[in-house]
Amino acid sequence: MSLLEDLYYGKICPSERSHSNDPKYALYSKQISELLQILKEKLTPDDFTMVEGAMDLNDMLSSVSSASAYTLGFRMWAAMIIEVLGHKEELIHTEEGYLGKIKLDGRES
């Protein structure tokens, strides 16, 4: 199956596949768990439930923010591809070599 078909059939879902290999991710996750355990011991069950609710809302906010950043990044990537393809006639072999006529900041290289 092609990538486009996988996308159409919903088989591409980066958020479900992603996990951070950054050591900071594991460190922060551990620190959050430790702080939550301390709060659970110090707060009443009702108060701790409110803390969990606030954390759930924060997770939802983070998810919305991540989706927005992903969408913007994808649009920027697509705009770059369109720009590159718009200059494909410049990608010919010249005496200067391949890519010799690509314009950088409006100037020929």
Side-chain angles (χ1 to χ4, degrees):
M1 215 178 258
S2 74
L3 284 174
L4 288 176
E5 288 173 320
D6 285 346
L7 180 62
Y8 177 80
Y9 290 111
K11 294 181 181 180
I12 296 177
C13 190
S15 64
E16 290 179 1
R17 294 185 192 176
S18 68
H19 65 283
S20 180
N21 292 328
D22 189 330
K24 291 179 186 176
Y25 182 88
L27 174 67
Y28 296 152
S29 181
K30 181 181 178 205
Q31 289 176 344
I32 289 169
S33 293
E34 289 170 354
L35 286 173
L36 282 174
Q37 186 59 40
I38 292 168
L39 287 171
K40 189 173 187 177
E41 292 168 4
K42 291 187 175 210
L43 297 175
T44 66
D46 287 343
D47 288 344
F48 187 71
T49 298
M50 286 192 302
V51 169
E52 288 180 314
M55 289 188 62
D56 289 344
L57 288 171
N58 189 58
D59 288 345
M60 287 185 259
L61 182 62
S62 179
S63 178
V64 168
S65 178
S66 293
S68 179
Y70 175 84
T71 301
L72 177 60
F74 189 86
R75 287 182 178 146
M76 290 173 67
W77 167 82
M80 286 186 262
I81 294 300
I82 290 168
E83 182 177 332
V84 168
L85 292 176
H87 295 281
K88 66 183 175 185
E89 66 278 355
E90 297 173 6
L91 296 174
I92 59 173
H93 183 66
T94 67
E95 290 179 14
E96 298 117 15
Y98 288 103
L99 307 178
K101 289 189 173 184
I102 296 296
K103 294 180 182 177
L104 302 173
D105 298 329
R107 297 173 287 177
E108 289 192 13
S109 60

